[in-house]
Amino acid sequence: MLDDELVFASDEITDSVLAPDAYWRLLVVDDEVEVHHVTRLVLQDFIFDGRALAIEFASSAHEAREILAKDTEQEIAVAMIDVVMESAHAGLDLIRWTRDELKNHTIRIILRTGQPGEAPEENVIRDYDINDYKNKTELTALRLKTTVFAALRGYRDIRLIQRHQIGLEKIIGATSQFIECDSLTEFASTILKHISVILNIKSSHIICCAVAKEVGKNKPTRIKVLAETSNVDNSTDRRSNPLTRAIEQRIAVALEQKSTIHEKDYFVGYFTTKRGTENILYVEDGKPLDAVQHHLLDFFANNIAVAHENLKLRVEIKESQKELSYLIGEAVEMRSKETGSHVKRVAYLSYCLAKLYGLSEEEAELIKLASPLHDVGKVGIPDHILNKPGKHDEEERNAMQTHARIGFDMLAKSDNPILKLGAHIAHEHHENWDGSGYPRGLAGYDIHVAGRISAVADVFDALGSKRCYKNSWEEADILAYFEQEKGKKFEPKLVELLLDNLEEFLIVRRRYPDPVCE
């Protein structure tokens, strides 16, 4: 009776004091009540890796199946299973069901039998996926504890490997999303989102920083916060500086040492790229970060460095392509006594029209980059025709119209997507919706959508622009012209979008004004 009182007293302490994640779950499956009592008594003060045991009991294989079926997260670390219960092989059937039906290969299974003849050790070890075999008569208190120690070590190590595997799989998945990011802001936000997933934490303080090189002997290193998630509301906050003095000091140490810092309650990832760019990833959780989380953060930081470098290169290439497109367009406009602002306005007007038309961001951006090339073929037109102050005669007009074909021939051979689209725009921005345009007399949807859009943007800006040799049209006259040419020169839908959103297009004109003529 004294033993029972001690057992139940210990059980009450275990249930009331220990937090859910502060113990190892042990399942004892045996139809002998005395086995339950003895197991509880021997293991009541058991501690492994700073965690106690939470022992659960089942008196039959059927009852054990109900418990195991509910353990969807496979948190039961060890199961000690008897062989003979409601049938001579109930325990063995339970083991096979656990491994084959539940697909639970994490739980450590110890077969404990009082009737070795029903389950010969050699046959059971060979035919069943168990981790240990014990005869009840040989299980002294010391051997029982030793057996549980060994089983828990196996379970712990398997779970550790699983956490690494799951974390690395998440890192690989996150890296593929980094590749698709088009901006540093999007890239940094993706980092924030995935770190919480990889570390399996619901709230944390995560800061992604880009570090500028020191620009002078006595000038401090500048740290640009790309994105930050607060440990209070887990939301990005750009209104205030998230770098507290403590965080700044920790980052400063990492920069000075040029190495990653692993501390119990925070992580400062320092990583550089081949071009020498320094970056910092700061992670702090409300509770200590364990070794697995630190290890995963190391891997993640390395992937971030590579992805960040690739993104910056893409951004630089994209900016270079944009500048080249503008420079070519401006060079053409200067030769024909136009201004460079015209090509910029056409670019942004085309982008606005493309978005309103329903094209994707990627398609609209590509049209913006290619539309400045609409008149590139004018480089092949003689100056006396290109800059003639009066009207062209028929021969001169025919020569002038060849700029569409010349522009296409210049750009079409390139594999660059901007230049390839520029070829369509150069070739078709003088085609008319009703088929009366040039050079091929295309009509309707046979005209490339980029050509239809650029035509509206080009004419709208040209009519509203003042030149040294002409005045700009009044707004009312421009609107009347587009109403008149709707369905003739221009696609009706594009004209309607222009007129319905006129203020948006006028803002573009005001943002990029022409220089004053002298």
Side-chain angles (χ1 to χ4, degrees):
M1 190 63 179
L2 182 59
D3 284 349
D4 287 349
E5 290 174 355
L6 287 173
V7 167
F8 286 106
S10 173
D11 192 43
E12 288 176 3
I13 293 173
T14 300
D15 290 341
S16 63
V17 174
L18 294 175
D21 61 348
Y23 50 74
W24 306 98
R25 291 179 65 185
L26 169 68
L27 176 62
V28 177
V29 187
D30 203 299
D31 58 357
E32 296 181 35
V33 177
E34 185 61 28
V35 171
H36 295 188
H37 289 172
V38 170
T39 303
R40 191 196 302 269
L41 183 62
V42 172
L43 299 176
Q44 62 180 329
D45 297 323
F46 185 95
I47 299 291
F48 173 68
D49 253 8
R51 295 161 65 180
L53 283 177
I55 306 176
E56 301 172 54
F57 295 96
S59 298
S60 66
H62 176 75
E63 189 178 340
R65 289 190 185 208
E66 292 181 346
I67 295 173
L68 290 167
K70 294 177 182 178
D71 183 30
T72 55
E73 300 298 321
Q74 298 184 4
E75 293 177 346
I76 298 177
V78 181
M80 305 183 74
I81 301 175
D82 190 15
V83 176
V84 181
M85 290 178 285
E86 58 262 57
S87 68
H89 294 86
L92 297 178
D93 294 339
L94 173 63
I95 292 169
R96 183 153 285 166
W97 174 82
T98 301
R99 298 303 197 198
D100 296 344
E101 298 295 326
L102 288 186
K103 306 297 182 185
N104 187 341
H105 299 283
T106 304
I107 187 172
R108 303 294 84 194
I109 295 178
I110 302 167
L111 193 66
R112 184 167 62 166
T113 180
Q115 302 178 45
E118 294 292 339
E121 182 173 354
E122 182 179 350
N123 295 344
V124 171
I125 291 291
R126 181 187 64 232
D127 299 333
Y128 292 85
D129 185 5
I130 65 173
N131 305 103
D132 205 349
Y133 181 105
K134 297 295 181 185
N135 191 324
K136 290 181 182 179
T137 58
E138 65 175 319
L139 269 181
T140 62
L142 179 59
R143 288 197 175 183
L144 177 58
K145 290 182 178 180
T146 301
T147 299
V148 174
F149 271 122
L152 287 177
R153 282 195 181 95
Y155 174 81
R156 178 199 61 190
D157 294 345
I158 287 174
R159 295 293 277 189
L160 187 64
I161 293 170
Q162 287 177 339
R163 284 187 62 194
H164 274 96
Q165 180 181 351
I166 293 171
L168 291 173
E169 288 173 354
K170 290 177 179 177
I171 289 174
I172 292 171
T175 303
S176 66
Q177 291 194 24
F178 291 157
I179 296 172
E180 299 173 1
C181 293
D182 291 323
S183 67
L184 288 175
T185 301
E186 182 184 359
F187 174 79
S189 298
T190 303
I191 290 173
L192 301 188
K193 180 178 69 175
H194 283 286
I195 285 179
S196 293
V197 174
I198 290 168
L199 299 186
N200 194 28
I201 52 181
K202 293 183 179 180
S203 64
S204 60
H205 197 178
I206 307 168
I207 304 175
C208 181
C209 303
V211 182
K213 291 289 187 182
E214 293 185 5
V215 294
K217 186 175 181 180
N218 298 318
K219 294 183 179 180
T221 299
R222 292 182 290 110
I223 300 175
K224 179 182 179 182
V225 177
L226 300 178
E228 181 260 344
T229 180
S230 170
N231 57 353
V232 176
D233 60 5
N234 202 32
S235 63
T236 301
D237 182 4
R238 302 181 190 277
R239 294 170 297 178
S240 61
N241 181 15
L243 299 178
T244 65
R245 176 166 293 187
I247 295 175
E248 285 182 341
Q249 290 175 345
R250 292 167 180 175
I251 290 176
V253 172
L255 289 172
E256 183 180 354
Q257 297 178 352
K258 297 190 178 300
S259 63
T260 293
I261 297 175
H262 296 273
E263 291 293 341
K264 186 175 182 181
D265 54 350
Y266 67 88
F267 168 90
V268 186
Y270 172 88
F271 47 100
T272 60
T273 63
K274 291 181 179 179
R275 302 170 72 194
T277 304
E278 294 179 302
N279 295 273
I280 291 291
L281 178 63
Y282 180 88
V283 179
E284 177 185 349
D285 196 19
K287 57 185 179 181
L289 297 169
D290 61 31
V292 175
Q293 290 173 319
H294 276 287
H295 196 201
L296 292 175
L297 282 169
D298 269 333
F299 277 109
F300 196 51
N302 288 330
N303 282 26
I304 290 173
V306 175
H308 187 204
E309 184 72 3
N310 289 338
L311 175 61
K312 287 185 68 177
L313 285 171
R314 290 208 314 275
V315 170
E316 289 176 8
I317 291 171
K318 192 173 181 179
E319 288 299 315
S320 298
Q321 289 176 332
K322 183 193 300 184
E323 288 301 316
L324 180 60
S325 177
Y326 286 157
L327 286 172
I328 294 173
E330 288 173 5
V332 173
E333 297 303 323
M334 288 176 65
R335 182 166 178 264
S336 58
K337 302 190 186 309
E338 302 289 348
T339 72
S341 296
H342 171 66
V343 296
K344 288 184 179 178
R345 290 195 298 266
V346 170
Y348 283 94
L349 291 171
S350 297
Y351 172 82
C352 293
L353 270 176
K355 290 293 290 182
L356 291 169
Y357 195 75
L359 300 186
S360 68
E361 175 65 29
E362 182 180 358
E363 292 170 319
E365 182 70 18
L366 196 58
I367 289 176
K368 181 176 77 173
L369 297 177
S371 59
L373 302 171
H374 63 281
D375 276 339
V376 70
K378 287 182 179 180
V379 299
I381 306 301
D383 284 344
H384 73 277
I385 296 176
L386 184 65
N387 296 317
K388 183 178 179 179
K391 288 187 177 181
H392 293 119
D393 59 30
E394 184 177 355
E395 183 179 351
E396 291 170 335
R397 184 170 57 253
N398 291 335
M400 187 68 181
Q401 290 181 355
T402 62
H403 82 275
R405 180 68 193 187
I406 293 172
F408 175 79
D409 290 339
M410 289 174 61
L411 302 174
K413 297 176 183 179
S414 173
D415 291 327
N416 183 290
I418 295 175
L419 299 184
K420 287 177 73 70
L421 186 61
H424 285 293
I425 293 173
H427 204 203
E428 301 177 19
H429 74 290
H430 284 295
E431 300 285 3
N432 294 337
W433 183 257
D434 63 2
S436 62
Y438 67 87
R440 293 183 292 166
L442 300 178
Y445 294 111
D446 287 339
I447 307 169
H448 194 287
V449 65
R452 305 197 305 268
I453 288 172
S454 297
V456 173
D458 182 31
V459 173
F460 176 78
D461 187 68
L463 294 179
S465 298
K466 183 179 180 180
R467 296 289 180 261
C468 297
Y469 53 85
K470 82 170 186 71
N471 290 322
S472 62
W473 286 28
E474 296 292 334
E475 184 178 309
D477 294 335
I478 296 175
L479 300 183
Y481 175 80
F482 274 94
E483 285 285 7
Q484 175 188 324
E485 296 298 325
K486 182 171 68 173
K488 299 176 184 178
K489 185 175 181 62
F490 308 114
E491 178 184 350
K493 180 180 177 180
L494 287 172
V495 174
E496 291 168 4
L497 290 173
L498 174 69
L499 300 181
D500 291 344
N501 300 274
L502 184 61
E503 183 58 31
E504 186 174 343
F505 295 95
L506 294 177
I507 289 173
V508 174
R509 289 192 51 76
R510 292 193 291 268
R511 185 179 299 161
Y512 301 101
D514 287 322
V516 179
C517 291
E518 296 179 356

